[in-house]
Amino acid sequence: LGKNPSSGAVPLWSYMLFVGFHLPTWLYTSLHHLKDKAMKIPAATEVEPGWWVGGRYAAGLGRTWGGVIDMTCEFPEGCIKSTEAYLLVPCWDGVPPTPEALER
């Protein structure tokens, strides 16, 4: 969808060309995030000391991340300014990346 692999930005033309995809995706994700906040479900969880797994709204935690592996193709990366290393591995839901893609 045109996402920049170094900045994590989605270009304006992508939103315009694929509005039928972006709009419902953003709406669903926003509503889901509000529900999660109401239920006190965190945007990221520490799974091992120093290792976090998070989602679209992890930037709201205000943390500095050692690295971010961005596996979305439809959302801009919100943590790009607070991470030391960034890797874009765009995936569609339910389709995991290959080990080779993660080891770049």
Side-chain angles (χ1 to χ4, degrees), residues 1-3 9-30 56 72-76 92:
L1 296 173
K3 189 168 182 176
V10 177
L12 180 60
W13 63 260
S14 179
Y15 292 116
M16 293 170 58
L17 187 61
F18 300 112
V19 68
F21 172 76
H22 285 292
L23 188 61
T25 302
W26 275 78
L27 181 61
Y28 171 80
T29 305
S30 297
R56 162 89 178 99
T72 68
C73 56
E74 68 272 32
F75 297 114
W92 292 104

Side-chain angles (χ1 to χ4, degrees), residues 1-78:
L1 296 173
K3 189 168 182 176
N4 184 303
S6 58
S7 72
V10 177
L12 180 60
W13 63 260
S14 179
Y15 292 116
M16 293 170 58
L17 187 61
F18 300 112
V19 68
F21 172 76
H22 285 292
L23 188 61
T25 302
W26 275 78
L27 181 61
Y28 171 80
T29 305
S30 297
L31 293 174
H32 200 281
H33 176 62
L34 290 174
K35 177 193 70 82
D36 286 351
K37 280 180 69 172
M39 296 177 66
K40 299 190 184 327
I41 297 172
T45 304
E46 190 171 24
V47 294
E48 287 287 328
W51 288 87
W52 292 75
V53 174
R56 162 89 178 99
Y57 294 96
L61 297 176
R63 299 183 53 89
T64 298
W65 306 99
V68 169
I69 300 174
D70 179 357
M71 295 193 297
T72 68
C73 56
E74 68 272 32
F75 297 114
E77 178 50 56

